[in-house]
Amino acid sequence: MIAPLPQHKHVGVIGCGFLGLPLAYKLAKLGYLVHVTHQRPDAMTHYHYPRIKVHSLHVSESGITTCPTADLLFQSSLLIITLPFKRIFDDAYAYTRQIESLLKIYKHYLHNNNQIIFTSSTSIYP
């Protein structure tokens, strides 16, 4: 069960996979406007839910982040990062660069009450 998050109206979920998507649905059902990311937003069209807004986000192995709607996504007062480490990375530090890139962008939008929850989804199983 998710505890109430009264100070948050908008929640961002980076990574809409097997951990991020159910979390986004639960938060939306609790009344939050949830901004989720996917590398291919068109792949998310069958997951339509009124309180979930899908954003295109790509973070390269070199740490370059592209997100056309960054203003909407990163203004969320709570950002949940569920991106897993991928064994296919050519460089073991690629994951670190990806997370650092996201944090750098989020810092640009920081306010006094912003929070980040970071979870690695590689060790979570049904």
Side-chain angles (χ1 to χ4, degrees), residues 1 4 8-9 32 36 56 69 111 125:
M1 185 163 122
H8 303 290
K9 294 180 183 173
Y32 299 98
V36 299
S56 174
T69 55
H111 303 287
Y125 300 95

Side-chain angles (χ1 to χ4, degrees), residues 33-98:
L33 178 59
V34 185
H35 296 273
V36 299
T37 68
H38 199 279
Q39 285 183 337
R40 293 183 4 255
D42 57 314
M44 298 290 296
T45 57
H46 59 283
Y47 290 112
H48 179 71
Y49 194 85
R51 299 196 60 79
I52 296 177
K53 306 299 179 198
V54 181
H55 300 269
S56 174
L57 175 77
H58 180 75
V59 186
S60 72
E61 287 189 37
S62 63
I64 296 171
T65 301
T66 55
C67 182
T69 55
D71 286 351
L72 294 172
L73 173 65
F74 289 102
Q75 285 181 8
S76 300
S77 57
L78 174 63
L79 186 69
I80 302 170
I81 301 173
T82 66
L83 292 180
F85 177 84
K86 296 177 184 170
R87 287 180 269 181
I88 61 169
F89 285 144
D90 292 330
D91 176 4
Y93 291 98
Y95 186 65
T96 302
R97 287 191 296 273
Q98 287 183 329

Side-chain angles (χ1 to χ4, degrees), residues 101-116:
S101 173
L102 292 171
L103 295 178
K104 184 178 179 181
I105 294 170
Y106 193 55
K107 282 171 124 178
H108 177 73
Y109 296 99
L110 280 180
H111 303 287
N112 290 336
N113 62 343
N114 287 56
Q115 295 178 326
I116 296 174

